[in-house]
């Protein structure tokens, strides 16, 4: 439980609510965010770095360790996309997600009262506006603001300082290790 490691980290598990792309609570009674010990400590260290940059900022975690059974629910809810397109947003359960090994986290930055900073899109936004690799383009055409990009860059910078890796398609998703390393280190969460 990441809040047992660092009580300053805020948690709002989106898959325990209806505020997600599935539109329903798929976690049921799960409301705490769990990660493997090393990724959880890395997240705690990153949150401490963030607070040193701005004492009013905290991480707000939307998802962490995710059972494979839920991965299948998420995958099967995106039937409007081809398998290739679907895999951009949700890892194919046949391969497993790094979330399924407790080594990936979805999060944003929030103020200490829990108000998320403006990142330009909601969590789980399926589209290019959420792609970190497209930020300069969207700034140029005025779809993202300098502040929204600065907020995203702050999130990425503190996560990268502790070893988390961002991905190309979601500003909120970070991996503590590669899928290959996660498979070699941890058992999949069923």
């Amino acid at each position: 439980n990441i809040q047992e490691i660092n009580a300053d980290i805020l948690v709002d598990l989106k898959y325990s609510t209806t505020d997600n792309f599935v539109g329903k609570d798929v976690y049921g009674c799960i409301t705490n965010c769990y990660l493997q010990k090393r990724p959880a400590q890395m997240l705690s260290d990153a949150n401490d770095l963030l607070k040193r940059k701005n004492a009013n900022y905290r991480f707000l975690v939307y998802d962490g360790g995710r059972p494979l059974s839920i991965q299948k629910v998420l995958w099967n809810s995106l039937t409007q996309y081809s398998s290739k397109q679907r895999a951009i947003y949700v890892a194919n359960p046949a391969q497993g997600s790094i979330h399924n090994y407790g080594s990936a986290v979805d999060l944003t930055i929030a103020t200490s009262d829990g108000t998320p900073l403006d990142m330009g899109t909601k969590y789980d936004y399926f589209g290019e506006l959420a792609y970190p690799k497209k930020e300069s383009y969207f700034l140029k055409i005025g779809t993202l603001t300098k502040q929204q990009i600065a907020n995203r860059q702050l999130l990425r910078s503190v996560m990268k300082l502790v070893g988390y890796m961002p991905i190309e398609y979601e500003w909120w998703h970070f991996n503590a290790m590669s899928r290959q390393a996660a498979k070699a280190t941890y058992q999949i969460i069923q």
Side-chain angles (χ1 to χ4, degrees), residues 144-161:
L144 287 175
T145 67
K146 286 182 183 178
Q147 187 59 57
Q148 290 165 335
I149 292 175
N151 293 341
R152 290 181 182 194
Q153 289 172 335
L154 176 60
L155 175 62
R156 281 196 300 272
S157 71
V158 294
M159 292 297 280
K160 287 166 76 174
L161 280 171

Side-chain angles (χ1 to χ4, degrees), residues 87-190:
I88 291 172
Y89 303 114
V90 176
N92 188 327
Q95 298 170 331
S97 166
I98 299 173
H99 281 289
N100 303 145
Y101 294 93
S103 300
V105 64
D106 295 339
L107 76 168
T108 192
I109 297 171
T111 57
S112 57
D113 69 358
T115 304
L117 299 189
D118 183 358
M119 299 290 186
T121 72
K122 286 182 61 163
Y123 165 71
D124 266 357
Y125 178 87
F126 296 157
E128 292 184 349
L129 197 57
Y131 296 8
K133 67 181 187 172
K134 296 271 191 163
E135 288 168 353
S136 58
Y137 168 75
F138 286 117
L139 176 64
K140 186 177 180 179
I141 66 169
T143 312
L144 287 175
T145 67
K146 286 182 183 178
Q147 187 59 57
Q148 290 165 335
I149 292 175
N151 293 341
R152 290 181 182 194
Q153 289 172 335
L154 176 60
L155 175 62
R156 281 196 300 272
S157 71
V158 294
M159 292 297 280
K160 287 166 76 174
L161 280 171
V162 301
Y164 268 96
M165 300 170 285
I167 63 170
E168 295 184 83
Y169 303 108
E170 300 170 345
W171 58 259
W172 56 85
H173 180 101
F174 294 86
N175 296 322
M177 60 189 66
S178 69
R179 182 180 286 119
Q180 181 180 0
K183 283 181 179 182
T185 308
Y186 302 115
Q187 290 186 350
I188 202 159
I189 304 164
Q190 295 297 328

Side-chain angles (χ1 to χ4, degrees), residues 20 54 86 120:
N20 58 59
N54 186 320
R86 195 182 322 186

Side-chain angles (χ1 to χ4, degrees), residues 1 15 27 46 52:
N1 183 338
Y15 299 125
Y27 276 172
R52 282 200 287 278

Side-chain angles (χ1 to χ4, degrees), residues 65-84:
R66 179 188 307 148
L68 184 60
S69 59
I70 302 300
Q71 191 71 27
K72 292 174 184 175
V73 170
L74 301 181
W75 177 260
N76 291 333
S77 69
L78 293 174
T79 55
Q80 69 271 32
Y81 297 112
S82 69
S83 291
K84 183 179 178 181

Side-chain angles (χ1 to χ4, degrees), residues 25-46:
D25 177 350
V26 295
Y27 276 172
C29 63
I30 301 170
T31 57
N32 294 315
C33 178
Y34 297 94
L35 291 171
Q36 297 290 352
K37 189 174 183 175
R38 182 171 156 250
Q41 188 58 57
M42 290 166 62
L43 183 65
S44 177
D45 293 346

